[in-house]
Amino acid sequence: MTESNEPTRPLGAQAQPMGGGAAEQHAPSSAQGQPRGTWGAPGPGDNVRPQFVPGGSHPTPPSWTPGPGAASPPPRPQPQRRVGMAGLLAVAVLSAGIGGGVGVAADRWLDEQDQAAVMETSSGTPQVVQGDPTAPDWAATAEAVSDAVVAIQLTGSQGGGGAGSGVIIDADGTIVTNNHVISGGGAGAAITVVLGAAVYDAEVVGTDPSTDLAVIRLVDPPTDLAVMEFGDSDGLRVGDPVMAIGNPLGLADTVTTGIVSALNRPVTTRAVTDGDTASSTGNGTVVTAAIQTNAAINPGNSGGALVDAEGRLVGIPSSIATLTSNASGQGGNIGIGFAIPVNQARIIVDQLLSTGTARHPQLGVTVGDVVSGPRLGAEIGEVVPDSAAAEAGIQPGDVVVSMDGVPVTSSESLVALVRGAKIGEPAEFGILRDGEELSVTALLRAADN
């Protein structure tokens, strides 16, 4: 057993998928002190723990009734698109905002009032120049990039379906989204993409259930597609302002703002394949070192965009935290949402575009949580012979406390960081051995899929 399927520390939260199909509660992680390789039962007081949910069918969009004396009701939301529940994470599938056509060109530089300006980068994608980074002009950001976020609809051959969001990443109509969005309609489901008032057919380029990422492409794309620029998720800091763009609960073109609440937050959910939730071990588990945000995201946002104030893509929203006391299994925003960092997404997307499949890095150890001692960390159980860990000199009993300078506080934390790394690149691990802190470098290898 390798680090990709070892028991992890309880998160205090559990995950549900938000694509198509019924949501299912994730089995709790192994509690501290339990034997490696087992899944523990919830502990005392766990009845009101949050859980992570990947998308899922959302209820009928709310309607509004005018109050006394109101002249007319406000416009009703479009009811024709429904977000299907796909997966088993507590991941709220964030529906994408509907894209229009024309990309935004530079129209002005910052004026004397230091207002935000939209300019075009050398690649043709819009970028917002904020006059005051401490008080972003979110209207300028939304206007510049919302057209690069699309709504995805799935229609299954057996009458099933689902919906979610996607982000256009090139002029050929290539779109990145969540795997649980694409798998929500079951095997052979027809995929359509809504751009403004137009609907286009799309085909799957590749899917990766292990990271909950997928790539699709428009069959006959228009010539005036808006394209999202990639940002750098490694450059994010806690407290940075961000905007989520999507189609929550069928409410198209919805934008919400907040901040980066935490970085490298380990979030565990279960993978989804063709509408079915995979097992809770091996490649059936999705473990992400996620961006946590308080920007309001809900089922229907999955696969959409988390952007910085300049309109650059920094994450793919994929899950939200809900409370287990919610008997319906369908959660809404409680201010704790999670996104896959864009730097990890690019590693997977590049592979899917090249080969249609993705490979993942592996250290080659079994791990458990530290149950005693002065430091939290991931305790090494076994080291696989001839693995990256063995070559680096990592030994059973070592406690990993950091990876590339990022603190490791649990086995789950270590798994998430390793999965977000790149095959063939060195990773530096801080370890405790016999009370002494050491630094070792391992060249991560591809896991057996």
Side-chain angles (χ1 to χ4, degrees):
M1 188 181 302
T2 64
E3 77 278 4
S4 64
N5 58 14
E6 275 299 302
T8 56
R9 290 178 68 242
L11 290 179
Q14 301 173 17
Q16 302 173 341
M18 297 189 307
E24 183 176 324
Q25 182 171 317
H26 175 269
S29 299
S30 166
Q32 294 187 4
Q34 290 183 333
R36 296 185 183 90
T38 61
W39 293 84
D46 279 354
N47 58 318
V48 192
R49 295 169 58 198
Q51 57 185 3
F52 307 118
V53 192
S57 304
H58 62 72
T60 303
S63 59
W64 289 266
T65 304
S72 60
R76 299 174 63 88
Q78 298 296 321
Q80 63 269 28
R81 291 200 311 276
R82 300 192 60 198
V83 176
M85 199 171 266
L88 137 63
L89 321 177
V91 175
V93 172
L94 314 177
S95 304
I98 296 176
V102 182
V104 181
D107 56 357
R108 68 184 188 281
W109 290 95
L110 300 182
D111 60 20
E112 295 180 355
Q113 285 73 41
D114 284 339
Q115 295 176 345
V118 178
M119 54 183 293
E120 192 174 274
T121 66
S122 58
S123 61
T125 59
Q127 181 175 338
V128 181
V129 180
Q130 295 288 351
D132 182 1
T134 64
D137 180 353
W138 288 119
T141 304
E143 181 179 0
V145 301
S146 288
D147 284 350
V149 184
V150 303
I152 300 172
Q153 300 177 350
L154 280 295
T155 304
S157 58
Q158 303 298 322
S165 303
V167 182
I168 303 173
I169 59 173
D170 65 29
D172 295 329
T174 304
I175 296 169
V176 60
T177 183
N178 284 140
N179 171 70
H180 73 257
V181 171
I182 299 305
S183 299
I191 305 173
T192 55
V193 173
V194 180
L195 295 171
V199 178
Y200 297 85
D201 293 331
E203 296 177 339
V204 174
V205 175
T207 63
D208 184 37
S210 293
T211 57
D212 196 23
L213 290 166
V215 174
I216 63 174
R217 185 174 287 129
L218 300 181
V219 174
D220 186 18
T223 59
D224 55 357
L225 283 174
V227 176
M228 183 78 72
E229 180 185 5
F230 285 106
D232 179 12
S233 52
D234 289 344
L236 290 175
R237 300 179 304 166
V238 174
D240 280 348
V242 287
M243 170 183 281
I245 309 174
N247 183 32
L249 305 180
L251 302 175
D253 300 316
T254 295
V255 300
T256 56
T257 62
I259 62 170
V260 173
S261 302
L263 295 168
N264 298 307
R265 180 73 75 194
V267 175
T268 299
T269 57
R270 293 184 189 169
V272 179
T273 303
D274 294 333
D276 296 325
T277 299
S279 67
S280 59
T281 60
N283 289 338
T285 301
V286 181
V287 186
T288 306
I291 301 167
Q292 181 181 328
T293 180
N294 68 342
I297 56 178
N298 287 280
N301 280 111
S302 284
L306 187 73
V307 303
D308 60 18
E310 286 70 41
R312 296 170 299 203
L313 183 69
V314 295
I316 305 295
S318 58
S319 61
I320 60 175
T322 62
L323 299 177
T324 57
S325 57
N326 180 358
S328 68
Q330 176 73 48
N333 171 61
I334 59 172
I336 303 177
F338 304 98
I340 302 167
V342 72
N343 288 10
Q344 179 183 359
R346 292 190 72 170
I347 294 172
I348 301 301
V349 168
D350 287 345
Q351 294 184 72
L352 294 180
L353 289 174
S354 176
T355 66
T357 60
R359 303 169 73 202
H360 309 98
Q362 187 177 59
L363 183 57
V365 296
T366 62
V367 288
D369 294 326
V370 174
V371 295
S372 63
R375 294 278 296 275
L376 296 176
E379 184 176 358
I380 303 299
E382 298 179 4
V383 177
V384 178
D386 300 322
S387 65
E391 289 195 354
I394 295 176
Q395 302 175 8
D398 287 346
V399 176
V400 180
V401 295
S402 68
M403 175 177 167
D404 290 334
V406 178
V408 170
T409 58
S410 67
S411 56
E412 183 178 44
S413 174
L414 177 60
V415 172
L417 291 172
V418 169
R419 286 197 179 183
K422 194 170 185 179
I423 296 171
E425 291 193 352
E428 183 177 354
F429 295 90
I431 63 174
L432 291 178
R433 180 184 298 164
D434 299 327
E436 181 182 1
E437 186 162 352
L438 308 173
S439 178
V440 300
T441 300
L443 199 65
L444 298 176
R445 300 179 181 178
D448 294 330
N449 291 328

